Amino acid sequence: MKVFNMSSAKGKKVNIYLIIGAVMTGIIVVMAIVGIFWTPYSTTAMSAKERFAAPSWQHLFGTDNFGRDIFSRVMKAVGTSALISVLVVAISAVAGIVLGAITGYFGGVVDAVVMRIVDAINGFPSILLALVIISLLGKGRQNVVLALAIAFTPSFVRIVRGEFIRLRDADYVVRARLMGVAKPRILFVHILPNIFSTFWVSVTIGLNNAILAESGLSYLGIGVQAPDATLGSLLSDAQASLASSPWYALAPGLTIVWTVLGVAMLSEGIGKLKK
């Protein structure tokens, strides 16, 4: 992807991807936080007289088949989808750091066993693996988070393991070993901070994948269950009235696209910071 860098009066390059990505992602974050405490209308109040009302100043995104304000429901759904995605990435990233650090630094039997498990998990598409886990554990927000975290952990393990293999024989690591520094300190104080520039890009990519995966599961009806709603479940609810009321699907669909594009540009911008 070609990068367009604008130069300021002082000759410094402006990271356009980082700026645009931060603005787009920031709007979603603000919407999610505000939606926790306030929405223009109740997300559960129904009105038979306002069913499938077209977008207007009164209802910016129109209303759904129960007369509920779609903009208010999107605000609430953004918060739910964002929370699930952040939890999934946080759990899988922490697990990936621990397993990747141990296997990458020490190698041996532990490395062989863990990587065979990682290869086995990677043999299944993330959505398919999540479907299997949810079918065993049952539907619900907690099980969705657990299923996706298990599916996403191998990618973080591979990234962290590769970085630790690359750095375990670096000069500063060798000196720390010769000085008798404890191995946990070498792993998490000396090596770990030096992989963050690469790791944070993986985190932002993981957020995008988590948003899409959660939306997909909810769209299929096996993700978050009513009365809670996510962007995927809103999109699923709108499927039946797509021809007669396209705004019903357009609002959550465009929100998913906006979120994914914003996080992708933010990831690209973060990647440019280390160059």
Side-chain angles (χ1 to χ4, degrees):
M1 185 181 292
K2 185 177 180 180
V3 179
F4 296 92
N5 287 320
M6 297 177 62
S7 298
S8 65
K10 296 182 178 180
K12 295 182 179 179
K13 292 182 178 180
V14 177
N15 193 329
I16 293 298
Y17 287 110
L18 184 62
I19 294 173
I20 296 177
V23 171
M24 293 179 70
T25 305
I27 291 173
I28 293 297
V29 171
V30 170
M31 183 184 292
I33 295 174
V34 172
I36 296 174
F37 305 101
W38 174 86
T39 54
Y41 296 89
S42 170
T43 58
T44 57
M46 304 179 188
S47 175
K49 295 181 180 180
E50 296 185 315
R51 292 179 69 248
F52 295 121
S56 63
W57 287 113
Q58 186 177 5
H59 299 286
L60 294 179
F61 291 170
T63 62
D64 63 11
N65 55 323
F66 292 109
R68 298 172 296 190
D69 181 65
I70 296 176
F71 180 65
S72 299
R73 289 179 60 76
V74 166
M75 287 181 66
K76 187 70 71 172
V78 164
T80 304
S81 294
L83 177 61
I84 291 173
S85 300
V86 169
L87 287 175
V88 167
V89 173
I91 294 171
S92 56
V94 170
I97 287 174
V98 174
L99 293 175
I102 293 173
T103 56
Y105 184 81
F106 294 104
V109 177
V110 175
D111 179 41
V113 172
V114 171
M115 294 313 296
R116 294 298 76 75
I117 296 174
V118 166
D119 291 339
I121 295 176
N122 274 337
F124 296 89
S126 298
I127 292 292
L128 179 59
L129 180 60
L131 283 171
V132 172
I133 295 173
I134 292 175
S135 67
L136 295 174
L137 300 179
K139 301 175 182 179
R141 183 183 304 189
Q142 293 83 358
N143 291 340
V144 170
V145 172
L146 179 60
L148 291 178
I150 292 173
F152 283 17
T153 295
S155 61
F156 288 106
V157 173
R158 284 189 174 279
I159 292 168
V160 175
R161 175 179 178 271
E163 290 297 300
F164 269 76
I165 290 175
R166 180 175 66 86
L167 295 174
R168 65 187 177 187
D169 292 324
D171 290 342
Y172 66 92
V173 176
V174 173
R175 285 196 296 269
R177 281 200 296 263
L178 293 175
M179 293 173 62
V181 176
K183 287 183 173 60
R185 184 175 178 84
I186 293 176
L187 292 177
F188 300 111
V189 175
H190 292 271
I191 299 179
L192 184 60
N194 290 292
I195 75 168
F196 276 155
S197 60
T198 299
F199 188 72
W200 284 120
V201 175
S202 304
V203 168
T204 55
I205 295 173
L207 279 172
N208 256 355
N209 293 336
I211 291 169
L212 292 173
E214 186 281 322
S215 297
L217 291 175
S218 295
Y219 181 83
L220 295 173
I222 59 174
V224 175
Q225 302 298 300
D228 293 333
T230 68
L231 296 173
S233 64
L234 291 183
L235 199 58
S236 178
D237 293 342
Q239 190 71 23
S241 55
L242 188 59
S244 59
S245 306
W247 57 85
Y248 192 178
L250 198 60
L254 287 179
T255 303
I256 293 173
V257 173
W258 177 281
T259 304
V260 170
L261 181 59
V263 176
M265 295 191 74
L266 184 63
S267 174
E268 183 76 13
I270 293 175
K272 299 302 174 185
L273 292 178
K274 64 178 184 178
K275 294 182 179 180

